[in-house]
Amino acid sequence: MFFGIDDFFHFAYDKDSQTVKSNIEELLGKVETVHVFSKENRVLVLTRDSLKTDYLYGFDLEGCLKFKTPPPEHYQFWYLNGKQIACIEADDSAKKSPRSGWWFSIDLENGKLTMGSPAY
């Protein structure tokens, strides 16, 4: 099943593996993970770039950028899981987790990240 985001990129949904693949890396950088939330009219894209900051992008289903969020201060993005993103400590100023990192909830309207429970 294909659904267009806009003329610049499209997402292909592979229903067998429940993953979403994209061809938007030339626009955003290396894409790590994509999650589509049809009911909320959002597409979350986590990018990885070894030379600059990773970002969490939020688009609506029409392809309009709604937010571009860097990792929280003193943290690095670890992985995206639905409406939450796991982050690991990037320096000694980060709050130490009793596990491997922290879950941050994502506000789908503006990309604001709110620290939640420890992640592992």
Side-chain angles (χ1 to χ4, degrees), residues 1-117:
M1 173 170 108
F2 291 93
F3 57 97
I5 301 299
D6 68 8
D7 290 339
F8 293 105
F9 58 90
H10 295 271
F11 291 97
Y13 184 74
D14 178 358
K15 66 179 179 180
D16 295 330
S17 64
Q18 299 297 308
T19 61
V20 179
K21 300 174 183 176
S22 74
N23 60 355
I24 60 174
E25 290 188 358
E26 63 187 57
L27 296 173
L28 306 179
K30 172 130 178 49
V31 174
E32 175 80 16
T33 311
V34 177
H35 284 268
V36 178
F37 302 95
S38 298
K39 289 182 183 177
E40 292 89 347
N41 189 29
R42 277 300 171 268
V43 177
L44 296 180
V45 179
L46 176 61
T47 62
R48 296 273 185 215
D49 190 327
S50 60
L51 301 177
K52 55 186 176 185
T53 302
D54 300 339
Y55 287 101
L56 176 67
Y57 292 89
F59 295 92
D60 63 18
L61 294 178
E62 289 74 42
C64 296
L65 179 65
K66 295 300 182 182
F67 56 82
K68 177 182 176 182
T69 304
E73 189 175 11
H74 307 297
Y75 294 89
Q76 295 175 328
F77 288 138
W78 185 10
Y79 64 92
L80 180 62
N81 187 11
K83 298 176 188 174
Q84 293 188 321
I85 191 162
C87 297
I88 57 173
E89 295 103 12
D91 59 39
D92 290 335
S93 296
K95 180 180 177 184
K96 302 301 177 212
S97 170
R99 297 190 179 152
S100 299
W102 293 95
W103 284 111
F104 284 79
S105 297
I106 304 164
D107 185 321
L108 295 180
E109 291 299 312
N110 58 25
K112 181 180 176 189
L113 302 175
T114 305
M115 182 183 273
S117 62

